Amino acid sequence: MNEIELFREARPEAAPYSAEAMAEARRRLERRATPRSVRRRRAGFAAGGALLAAGAASVALVVAVPGGPERGRLAAAHEGADPVVTLAGAAPMSATQVLGRAARAGDELAPRPGQYVKVVSQTMFSAESNDGDTGRQGRYLYRTDRVIWRPVRAGSPDVLKITHLPPKAYPGWPVPRAAFADKGTDWVHLQYCRNADLGTDYTALSRLPADVRGMRAHLYAAPGDGSPDTRAWERAGDLLRETYLPRAQRAALFRAIATIPGVDAVGGAQDAARRTGLGVGRVDRGIRKDLIFDRRTYALLGEREVVVDAAQAKAPVGSLIGSTAQLSVTVTDTVPRVERPRDDRC
């Protein structure tokens, strides 16, 4: 782990290191395709589906996420979101300090086998489409409200409810016709894949390393494209998105994230629900990707992706091209019964 940042976390009154000094110290020491569109997130973020559902979920335990569903209807924040954001300056503390406090934050849920972890969220990610008649490529921002029920122990499918929201224009592109094809509400069964690289049920997550070194090795074992540091960052996001990590693994993960080269902190980062927090992230291919934490409680609020290099990202600097908000995480004994859901197999 970065010794300089560990010292800074223990001694917050000490003068901060410069970006150049930190960089020198560090030097030493994307979802599936459909016929209509290609969406830039892994399994779970952009599934389509069939309809009909019923059944209520009774909450057993609640993680209080500041500014959760009580802020108002989910779609309202999306409608007012600005597609161009002002990149904020340095955070009042380092990334390691923010992540260290996040590691100590939050209550501990204790879901039992037979129960479900229910996560309510909002998402906006870039998508690509091809017009079947003209072959013309399109690009837009695909937006949803989502509720997912994950069984504590894998075996039965995850149940995912997707409410499609009107798309937004990707900077410099008109919204293509294909972007309006997804409407209403879809219900999806996400099948458990025994051979999948990464289990996201609570039981599987509780088996992950609970120490920083082991968790870091797990992050860097991620397959895929990009540099090892990029893959490690992407895996970290996959572990946090629409899941619930036990406290020990969550703490190890946040501290391991701080060791990924290029990770720093910024102030004034907004999630998809327009809640402002501290951003911890890194730049990859002209896009800054942040995890966003509440400035008071250090609870994870969501994510964002902002263009910082127009030439690499092929969009104006400041363009917001990805955004999520985690609104609530609860434990429930029940899951909605869904008639004829889409079955999203491995």
Side-chain angles (χ1 to χ4, degrees):
M1 194 170 182
N2 190 318
E3 292 87 355
I4 292 176
E5 285 289 12
L6 284 173
F7 179 79
R8 285 283 297 121
E9 184 177 359
R11 294 280 309 280
E13 72 278 7
Y17 284 82
S18 68
E20 293 77 13
M22 290 303 304
E24 180 59 27
R26 286 191 178 107
R27 279 193 288 270
R28 292 195 305 264
L29 297 171
E30 207 212 328
R31 162 113 179 132
R32 63 182 178 89
T34 70
R36 287 192 300 238
S37 64
V38 179
R39 293 162 189 158
R40 292 184 53 251
R41 277 293 163 187
R42 298 184 183 181
F45 254 99
L51 43 152
L52 287 177
S58 60
V59 172
L61 294 167
V62 177
V63 174
V65 179
E70 66 276 8
R71 283 179 61 92
R73 297 189 180 276
L74 301 185
H78 281 286
E79 294 304 330
D82 191 342
V84 177
V85 301
T86 299
L87 295 176
M93 60 185 71
S94 70
T96 296
Q97 288 176 301
V98 175
L99 290 165
R101 296 187 185 193
R104 298 189 293 271
D107 298 327
E108 176 71 352
L109 299 183
R112 303 184 305 274
Q115 293 184 312
Y116 298 82
V117 173
K118 176 186 175 184
V119 183
V120 180
S121 62
Q122 301 174 5
T123 70
M124 181 182 78
F125 287 109
S126 62
E128 295 180 358
S129 68
N130 288 299
D131 189 308
D133 297 327
T134 66
R136 183 179 303 167
Q137 184 182 25
R139 184 174 290 182
Y140 61 100
L141 297 176
Y142 170 77
R143 302 165 56 244
T144 63
D145 290 332
R146 296 166 61 90
V147 185
I148 191 167
W149 291 260
R150 294 191 185 275
V152 169
R153 179 176 293 164
S156 58
D158 297 349
V159 176
L160 173 63
K161 177 185 177 183
I162 306 173
T163 301
H164 299 284
L165 301 174
K168 284 185 177 293
Y170 191 92
W173 293 70
V175 180
R177 289 183 304 169
F180 297 95
D182 290 317
K183 298 178 181 179
T185 298
D186 290 339
W187 289 83
V188 185
H189 277 175
L190 300 175
Q191 296 294 330
Y192 170 65
C193 306
R194 291 190 179 275
N195 296 322
D197 176 66
L198 188 65
T200 51
D201 59 281
Y202 179 83
T203 301
L205 295 174
S206 67
R207 298 188 181 117
L208 293 177
D211 63 287
V212 178
R213 180 173 295 182
M215 181 61 77
R216 190 178 196 276
H218 178 74
L219 296 182
Y220 275 85
D225 300 327
S227 70
D229 298 332
T230 294
R231 296 198 302 270
W233 175 265
E234 293 294 339
R235 170 166 279 190
D238 291 341
L239 288 172
L240 291 167
R241 197 174 300 115
E242 295 190 322
T243 67
Y244 177 72
L245 275 164
R247 186 170 194 143
Q249 283 74 19
R250 187 169 68 245
L253 176 61
F254 286 143
R255 292 191 168 105
I257 289 172
T259 71
I260 299 175
V263 169
D264 62 5
V266 296
Q270 279 195 344
D271 70 2
R274 307 199 79 179
R275 300 173 298 186
T276 300
L278 300 172
V280 173
R282 64 190 302 273
V283 176
D284 180 49
R285 287 167 283 194
I287 300 171
R288 180 178 176 88
K289 301 179 181 182
D290 282 302
L291 300 172
I292 303 172
F293 297 90
D294 184 86
R295 290 175 292 191
R296 181 178 58 85
T297 67
Y298 297 94
L300 179 66
L301 298 180
E303 305 163 275
R304 69 168 187 176
E305 296 184 0
V306 183
V307 173
V308 295
D309 186 311
Q312 287 191 69
K314 297 180 174 59
V317 170
S319 298
L320 181 67
I321 60 173
S323 185
T324 73
Q326 180 174 279
L327 297 175
S328 68
V329 182
T330 62
V331 175
T332 177
D333 293 322
T334 60
V335 66
R337 294 183 179 181
V338 183
E339 298 181 23
R340 299 192 302 276
R342 181 182 179 119
D343 201 2
D344 193 0
R345 295 191 176 276
C346 303

